């Protein structure tokens, strides 16, 4: 794996952690969380994005 792919992975997980923190603290709605998660995946292209759970499946119990 090259250096850029590693950096993209790290940046994706950072962005997603911030997105989840914003959602769980009530700063953003579920729809905003869903959109940000999709944007994070498109922006940083994590290696296993296809294997990651969709936000709806992961967070639907919290709504």
């Amino acid at each position: 794996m090259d250096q850029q792919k590693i950096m993209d992975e790290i940046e994706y997980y950072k962005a997603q952690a911030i997105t989840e923190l914003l959602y769980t603290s009530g700063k953003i709605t579920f729809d905003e969380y869903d959109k940000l998660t999709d944007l994070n995946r498109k922006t940083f292209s994590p290696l296993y994005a296809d294997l990651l759970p969709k936000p709806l499946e992961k967070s639907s119990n919290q709504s």
Side-chain angles (χ1 to χ4, degrees):
M1 184 182 308
D2 68 4
Q3 181 101 11
Q4 186 58 48
K5 266 314 231 187
I6 293 170
M7 291 306 296
D8 285 348
E9 283 291 309
I10 293 168
E11 294 302 321
Y12 166 76
Y13 285 105
K14 284 181 184 178
Q16 194 58 32
I18 292 168
T19 300
E20 290 186 25
L21 181 63
L22 288 169
Y23 177 66
T24 57
S25 66
K27 306 265 188 233
I28 61 174
T29 66
F30 177 75
D31 288 336
E32 291 168 322
Y33 169 83
D34 196 31
K35 289 176 186 175
L36 279 172
T37 296
D38 189 46
L39 183 61
N40 290 340
R41 289 180 182 178
K42 288 177 182 173
T43 302
F44 301 110
S45 301
L47 256 176
Y48 302 107
D50 293 338
L51 300 178
L52 296 171
K54 289 294 290 172
L56 182 60
E57 295 169 14
K58 183 177 180 182
S59 300
S60 61
N61 293 339
Q62 294 179 358
S63 297

